[in-house]
Structures are given as structure tokens and as C-alpha cells.
Amino acid sequence: MRPTKKKKPQQKIIYEPEKKARLQPQPAHFAQASFLISAPGLKECPPDEGIEIAFAGRSNAGKSSALNCLTSARLARTSKTPGRTQLINFFSLDNHRRLVDLPGYGYAKVPDALRREWGKHLGAYISERQCLQGLVVMMDVRHPLTDFDCQLLEVAAGRMLPVHILLTKADKLKRGPAKNQLIAVRKELETLPGQVTVQLFSSLKGDGRAEAWSQLDTWLDWSNPVLVESETPDDPSPTDD
């Protein structure tokens, strides 16, 4: 008779949900950003003094979501319909530092006359606003450096304005393809004029916020910022401005 094999005791499997990566502390001045004013054109903007950093990008590149991710949730209005940002929106960080949300560009369903009007105000602001110290340009990581994007970079280069590109929606690609896209964009930027830096960014996951904050603080001349605990970014609209 064969000896009976003893059954191994079953191991009790305990389910442990995957822990979310802890977000890096946020500079307090970005968390405390507040709406200041909306202007239809350059003449209606606040006095041209202090320091401003402007955010620009195609109407479906996630511009407003990126701005909210870097500051506080719902600071900039998001929408499932691209092209909703039609005014120049100013947000105050302190008495002489501001962030500026510029109208989205390149959305085909906007009437031609309105697109030309937005383009005129966008170009005038970037070309003539003396307190503008840097431009953050949002580009969908899957569709970077469109004709509209390159035109904007040329305008910035014309007045020697530094540009920092956020390749948004990086969570839509796996890590390898996203990194390859970053390398490809950097290589193409070498052929274009101007002082331009670029990074990957995800409003959904909060990836790339620390790098973006560092660049913004350099332009804002903000040293030794007070840090606060970051909250997990809200799920942004996939097609907002």
C-alpha cells in the first residue's frame, strides 16, 4: 500500500490594494493661487508689471487640466468641448507674481473669424507683454510640434522668451514609448530657434509636477518656497483646453 501524502495546508491569501505613489509636496504659493481677472485683449490686462508665466497650447492638449494639476483643483475651467478658454485669464500667486491661462488655439470647429481674433490677442500678448518671463506650452505627447505649436515657438523666440514644453497625457503611453517620444521631441527642438526645454507630464497621475514647479520657480525668482502636502489630482477632462 502506497503511503498517503499529507496535504499541504492552504495559505490564506490576504488582498492588499496597490498603494498609490506618494505625491511630492507642493509649493504653497501654487496651492494658494487665486483667480484675478479675465481680459478679452491686451488693453484690458492688468498693469504690465511684476512677473507673469503664461500657459498656452492647442485646445485639446489638456491645458486647463495641467494648470489645475500644478495649482489647485478647478482653478482653471475644464470642459469636454475644446476651445472654451476664450479670454486671457489671470491668476494671482502674490502681489506681483501671476499665472496666465491663454486661449487655446488650433481647434477646427471654432469659426474662422473667432480663431483669427484669438490668434491676434494671443500673439499680441506674447509679443508685447513685458512682464512675461516664461511660456509653458502644452502638447499632447502623441501629437507634438504641430504647425500651430511651431508658430508659437517662433513668436517666443522672436522676443527671446524661454519656453518649457509639457508633453501632456503621458499616461496614455507606456513608459518606453513615452520616453522615446520625449527623446524625439528634444531632437527636433534642436533644429528650431529659441530657448526651449521639454518634459513628460500627466495631469491624471501627477507625474512631472515637481520638474514643472522647479522650472516655474526659476522664472518666478522664487527661492526656498514653503511646501505643503499635495492632494491626488482630480480626473481631468480628456479634451479640455
Side-chain angles (χ1 to χ4, degrees):
M1 236 181 120
R2 293 184 179 178
T4 304
K5 291 184 178 179
K6 292 183 179 181
K7 292 183 178 180
K8 294 182 179 179
Q10 292 185 346
Q11 293 182 346
K12 187 176 181 181
I13 300 176
I14 301 175
Y15 171 71
E16 294 184 359
E18 185 177 346
K19 294 181 180 179
K20 293 183 179 180
R22 184 177 178 83
L23 294 176
Q24 294 191 354
Q26 179 183 28
H29 48 273
F30 291 120
Q32 297 169 1
S34 59
F35 174 76
L36 182 62
I37 193 174
S38 292
L42 194 61
K43 292 182 180 179
E44 294 78 17
C45 291
D48 193 352
E49 57 192 27
I51 300 175
E52 287 179 358
I53 306 299
F55 287 69
R58 285 178 59 85
S59 294
N60 57 353
K63 176 169 57 67
S64 296
S65 287
L67 185 55
N68 287 340
C69 181
L70 291 169
T71 55
S72 58
R74 307 307 175 201
L75 181 72
R77 183 180 179 184
T78 60
S79 170
K80 291 184 179 180
T81 303
R84 292 299 297 271
T85 304
Q86 303 177 14
L87 302 172
I88 303 173
N89 297 309
F90 293 82
F91 304 97
S92 175
L93 299 178
D94 65 8
N95 290 334
H96 67 284
R97 294 180 178 94
R98 295 174 295 276
L99 301 180
V100 184
D101 187 13
L102 298 174
Y105 55 84
Y107 187 54
K109 292 186 180 181
V110 174
D112 287 342
L114 186 56
R115 274 195 294 165
R116 287 194 296 270
E117 186 72 10
W118 291 357
K120 181 176 68 175
H121 294 315
L122 181 69
Y125 173 84
I126 295 173
S127 300
E128 301 177 28
R129 191 72 170 170
Q130 296 303 306
C131 64
L132 180 60
Q133 297 299 307
L135 181 66
V136 181
V137 179
M138 269 62 61
M139 301 180 189
D140 188 322
V141 68
R142 299 162 297 179
H143 313 289
L145 294 174
T146 65
D147 290 341
F148 289 103
D149 295 328
C150 292
Q151 290 174 19
L152 185 61
L153 296 181
E154 288 180 5
V155 173
R159 59 161 291 186
M160 301 182 68
L161 182 71
V163 176
H164 188 63
I165 296 173
L166 300 184
L167 295 177
T168 60
K169 306 184 184 182
D171 52 276
K172 300 294 185 181
L173 299 178
K174 292 184 178 179
R175 183 173 298 181
K179 188 174 181 180
N180 290 339
Q181 189 74 313
L182 175 63
I183 293 172
V185 170
R186 281 177 175 162
K187 187 174 182 179
E188 188 167 351
L189 287 173
E190 292 176 357
T191 66
L192 300 178
Q195 179 185 339
V196 187
T197 52
V198 60
Q199 67 164 99
L200 295 172
F201 191 85
S202 169
S203 298
L204 181 63
K205 295 184 177 180
D207 294 341
R209 295 206 300 178
E211 185 177 350
W213 283 328
S214 177
Q215 180 61 72
L216 291 174
D217 278 341
T218 297
W219 287 341
L220 292 166
D221 193 24
W222 215 312
S223 58
N224 301 319
V226 177
L227 302 180
V228 296
E229 289 297 321
S230 294
E231 295 181 359
T232 303
D234 291 340
D235 186 2
S237 166
T239 56
D240 72 272
D241 289 358

